[in-house]
Amino acid sequence: MECHSGCGACCVAPSISSPIPGMPQGKPAGVRCVQLDPAGRCRIFGQSGRPAVCSSLRPSAQMCGDGRGHAMRWLAWLEQATA
């Protein structure tokens, strides 16, 4: 499955505990990653500095649904369920 254009939910909704370039302490859930560009794309996609959790998260119909709103809700639920 391809990402929905401009979504970026996976770069906002989940917490990331590992360092991100520009965010050495990671980021809390609900905070926009500094590597998310204005078009909703990851600036470090495919680069070695990208956290492993980001590389392992793949778009799916269950997660992405019909767009950003669904993805934000699903990822927030996942964040809470795994806290």
Side-chain angles (χ1 to χ4, degrees):
M1 178 174 177
E2 294 286 321
C3 290
H4 294 292
S5 179
C7 176
C10 60
C11 300
V12 177
S15 61
I16 299 174
S17 58
S18 55
I20 303 164
M23 298 180 104
Q25 303 302 313
K27 66 169 225 58
V31 172
R32 184 180 178 92
C33 178
V34 298
Q35 297 301 330
L36 185 63
D37 75 12
R41 293 183 301 251
C42 177
R43 290 183 180 105
I44 58 172
F45 187 86
Q47 295 181 17
S48 62
R50 188 171 178 225
V53 67
C54 299
S55 299
S56 66
L57 187 61
R58 302 282 183 213
S60 68
Q62 181 182 20
M63 178 176 72
C64 301
D66 61 358
R68 188 176 197 274
H70 175 94
M72 289 292 289
R73 288 186 300 277
W74 193 88
L75 287 164
W77 168 84
L78 185 63
E79 178 75 25
Q80 189 173 26
T82 58

